[in-house]
Amino acid sequence: MVMAIAIPMTLAAVTTPLLGLVDTAVIGQFGKAELIGGLAIGALVFDFLLSTFNFLRSGTTGLVAQAMGRGDLREEQAVFWRAFIIAIAAGVLMILCLPLILKGAVWFMDPEPTISEAMTTYVVIRMISAPMALVNYAILGLVLGRGEGMLGLVLQFLLNGINIAMSITLGLLLEWGVAGVAWGTVTGETIAALVGMVIVIRKFRAAPLPDRGRILDATGMMRMFTINRDIMIRSFLLLIAFTFFTRAGADLGPVVLAANAVLLNFFLVAGFFLDGIAAAAEQITGRAVGARYLPAFLRGAKLTFLWGVLLAACVALFFMVLGNPIVRLMTNAVDVREMAAVYLPWAALTALTGVLAFHMDGVYIGATWSRDMRNMMVLSLIAFFAVLYAVKPMGNHGLWLAINFFLSIRGITLLAMLPRRLRGEFAY
């Protein structure tokens, strides 16, 4: 079961950071650090918003897996439609709030005029697909909750494959630059959402359908909102850490900002590799909680952790050996290349320091222990800011030290909570 979910979802997840690498490489060919920095901040702004609503994926996965463990087919579908309604409403709200979002981003990041222009172009265009991006989260949450890893692979390949092809075509070949990269993302998100909805609706026809009352059931809606609220706060706090990391890098100059933007893609690659293992943990632990079967929970958690550590070590070694050639492919700016080479070991280390956090996220999401995820994230963020302030004299080395510490402490605090949660959930 672990491999049936983890392998296809790992392959699928890798296409997402690959997209980030391609987008950075496309803009990097123009040889201007300001454009890379503008793209990095623009992507961070949008990712900040999307990650705030990442509960539409993770919350749906846990609830669907638990309904599956109970054998409740109608509830599986009801969970998805609740997430779909929230996705559309939230996406429209994001579009309406675009002027405020842009003002807030410029105020907080305080970028140089050329960086601000590139950032604004990217965010304005990409915001068009906000509802579709959130619908894709809900679809993926349903797919992972049902343990359908191959379908998740197909949908993610479709989304990111179209995105990559269009970004290269529009951004590089037609020389639209940052605007072309943004339109490539809009195209990929929209097509993937439409195809995904067709597949989901066809699947639902083969099972008993929930009525409107079941979908809008007050208890079910309240549980989803409670879980989603906690996961949203957790995701929001996570993005705050990386936003301050980027903001602190910007204070060190455009070259450091660009180098960190390039290297941060390595962390994203490692993270999305580990997300495949975490997805398996979500489905297996969620199904075990739904079935009230502790042995399956423990077995699934142990297996996914061992595979996660092995995968993290391989990813870290890969970037230590091939990181610099990859950086050279991503940008023609010599100063950015040289700066990135200095801090490459820190970026490679994130795979190992983050593996426990990714794994524990999967376990807690599957079990829908969202309150503990939220609380431990608060503690971890406080620790991150303390370290960030303490190591400020170290410059960019200090920034990377702080982010690696943050990843480590997240996993450790969640692991420390696990025995108590198991006793409460399974009453042993």
Side-chain angles (χ1 to χ4, degrees):
M1 288 178 64
V2 171
M3 291 298 101
I5 301 170
I7 291 176
M9 288 316 301
T10 297
L11 294 175
V14 170
T15 63
T16 299
L18 178 60
L19 170 62
L21 289 170
V22 170
D23 287 351
T24 303
V26 167
I27 302 305
Q29 302 312 303
F30 292 89
K32 297 180 179 179
E34 292 80 4
L35 292 181
I36 299 176
L39 175 65
I41 295 177
L44 180 65
V45 169
F46 202 84
D47 289 346
F48 187 94
L49 296 171
L50 286 185
S51 295
T52 300
F53 291 97
N54 189 50
F55 60 77
L56 290 168
R57 202 285 296 167
S58 51
T60 302
T61 296
L63 291 172
V64 168
Q66 291 183 23
M68 188 176 184
R70 295 191 302 269
D72 191 345
L73 298 179
R74 283 191 173 90
E75 183 61 17
E76 288 182 38
Q77 298 184 45
V79 168
F80 170 76
W81 288 117
R82 291 167 197 154
F84 178 84
I85 293 170
I86 296 173
I88 295 297
V92 172
L93 181 62
M94 286 168 60
I95 293 174
L96 294 177
C97 293
L98 178 58
L100 294 177
I101 292 170
L102 287 174
K103 288 182 180 179
V106 171
W107 170 80
F108 181 77
M109 301 301 295
D110 192 25
E112 297 178 0
T114 52
I115 295 177
S116 178
E117 181 181 357
M119 179 269 294
T120 301
T121 298
Y122 181 85
V123 173
V124 168
I125 295 173
R126 190 174 173 186
M127 190 65 73
I128 295 171
S129 66
M132 296 298 99
L134 297 181
V135 166
N136 283 322
Y137 279 179
I139 293 172
L140 186 59
L142 172 70
V143 168
L144 293 181
R146 292 166 61 98
E148 298 173 336
M150 286 305 299
L151 178 56
L153 172 63
V154 170
L155 291 175
Q156 290 299 103
F157 264 38
L158 176 67
L159 190 161
N160 293 316
I162 293 174
N163 197 336
I164 289 172
M166 293 302 296
S167 293
I168 293 174
T169 301
L170 300 177
L172 188 59
L173 299 182
L174 296 184
E175 298 184 351
W176 289 13
V178 173
V181 168
W183 279 114
T185 303
V186 170
T187 305
E189 294 280 9
T190 303
I191 293 177
L194 293 175
V195 172
M197 286 304 301
V198 170
I199 294 174
V200 167
I201 291 172
R202 287 183 176 179
K203 278 182 169 292
F204 282 172
R205 288 177 179 173
L209 299 176
D211 56 26
R212 182 179 301 178
R214 180 67 177 269
I215 295 173
L216 300 177
D217 173 68
T219 302
M221 289 293 288
M222 182 56 64
R223 188 184 184 203
M224 171 165 274
F225 275 116
T226 300
I227 293 171
N228 289 348
R229 177 202 63 200
D230 292 337
I231 296 178
M232 181 175 69
I233 293 172
R234 166 259 184 194
S235 299
F236 182 75
L237 296 177
L238 178 64
L239 262 293
I240 284 178
F242 282 96
T243 300
F244 270 88
F245 173 83
T246 302
R247 178 68 175 82
D251 288 341
L252 297 175
V255 176
V256 171
L257 174 64
N260 284 352
V262 171
L263 293 176
L264 204 55
N265 282 296
F266 292 177
F267 165 71
L268 295 177
V269 170
F272 282 101
F273 262 114
L274 297 174
D275 260 351
I277 301 296
E282 291 173 24
Q283 207 279 337
I284 293 172
T285 58
R287 188 185 298 189
V289 168
R292 315 303 298 171
Y293 189 51
L294 179 59
F297 185 103
L298 296 176
R299 181 69 169 164
K302 290 176 182 178
L303 283 174
T304 48
F305 176 70
L306 291 175
W307 281 110
V309 171
L310 178 61
L311 187 57
C314 292
V315 171
L317 180 61
F318 175 84
F319 284 131
M320 284 299 298
V321 175
L322 296 176
N324 284 321
I326 294 174
V327 170
R328 288 194 291 270
L329 289 174
M330 293 176 66
T331 177
N332 288 330
V334 177
D335 51 354
V336 176
R337 289 178 175 179
E338 293 175 348
M339 187 69 69
V342 175
Y343 303 104
L344 175 62
W346 287 113
L349 184 62
T350 57
L352 292 171
T353 56
V355 61
L356 182 59
F358 279 97
H359 177 257
M360 285 290 101
D361 278 351
V363 170
Y364 276 68
I365 286 170
T368 60
W369 297 333
S370 57
R371 184 180 62 181
D372 293 316
M373 293 180 64
R374 178 200 66 196
N375 293 343
M376 294 305 101
M377 179 61 76
V378 171
L379 291 177
S380 299
L381 186 63
I382 292 172
F384 166 73
F385 281 127
V387 172
L388 187 66
Y389 178 79
V391 300
K392 189 174 182 179
M394 295 175 60
N396 204 38
H397 283 293
L399 295 184
W400 281 102
L401 173 61
I403 208 68
N404 274 278
F405 175 81
F406 172 67
L407 294 172
S408 300
I409 202 67
R410 280 190 58 228
I412 292 170
T413 53
L414 287 172
L415 180 62
M417 291 290 296
L418 189 58
R420 185 179 69 83
R421 292 302 301 169
L422 288 175
R423 287 193 295 271
E425 189 70 47
F426 294 96
Y428 71 91

